[in-house]
Amino acid sequence: MLIVDGYLHSIEKIIKDRNYWCCRLKYGHKFKGRGTTTHQGEEEIFLKSTVYDPASAASEVERSQTCEKLKECAGICGDTPALLADDVVASTSVQSTLTLPTRWSMLQQVNRVRRKNLLTQ
């Protein structure tokens, strides 16, 4: 057993002198944490780990949904881009606001959608 960042890992495969570990939450929670160790004499040396954080993945999903919501509102509403951006940011969770694009980027996205709609009409 190996513990990395507080998560329990078990051996997935052994190739030559390296042990490849996967998180025990892989199947139930689809947690994709991995680790690699090697043997040097009697000692096992930790080489690297890749950590997959489900909380950040959830906020990434919410971020993409928020950006899509901004684009939809830009095509429908006649509010100013600043009001649209503020409304969308206010409706997201605090954790997801850290992953949102900058305010300037959101204003530019609203303007792009509106220009595109003008050209198609």
Side-chain angles (χ1 to χ4, degrees), residues 48 77 113-114:
K48 67 177 183 174
C77 301
V113 169
R114 289 186 174 165

Side-chain angles (χ1 to χ4, degrees), residues 15-96:
I15 299 176
K16 296 186 182 180
D17 65 336
R18 292 192 179 205
N19 293 337
Y20 295 89
W21 303 79
C22 70
C23 183
R24 298 288 300 267
L25 298 176
K26 175 181 177 181
Y27 300 106
H29 302 285
K30 300 185 189 230
F31 193 83
K32 298 178 183 176
R34 300 238 186 267
T36 306
T37 58
T38 188
H39 292 287
Q40 196 171 44
E42 300 247 340
E43 192 175 325
E44 191 159 359
I45 298 172
F46 184 73
L47 297 175
K48 67 177 183 174
S49 73
T50 56
V51 178
Y52 173 79
D53 185 12
S56 66
S59 66
E60 184 67 25
V61 169
E62 189 175 356
R63 184 195 67 81
S64 64
Q65 289 173 344
T66 302
C67 291
E68 287 301 315
K69 181 179 175 183
L70 178 69
K71 291 176 188 177
E72 286 176 23
C73 290
I76 298 170
C77 301
D79 292 340
T80 63
L83 283 175
L84 285 175
D86 290 342
D87 289 344
V88 168
V89 169
S91 67
T92 60
S93 68
V94 174
Q95 186 179 14
S96 293

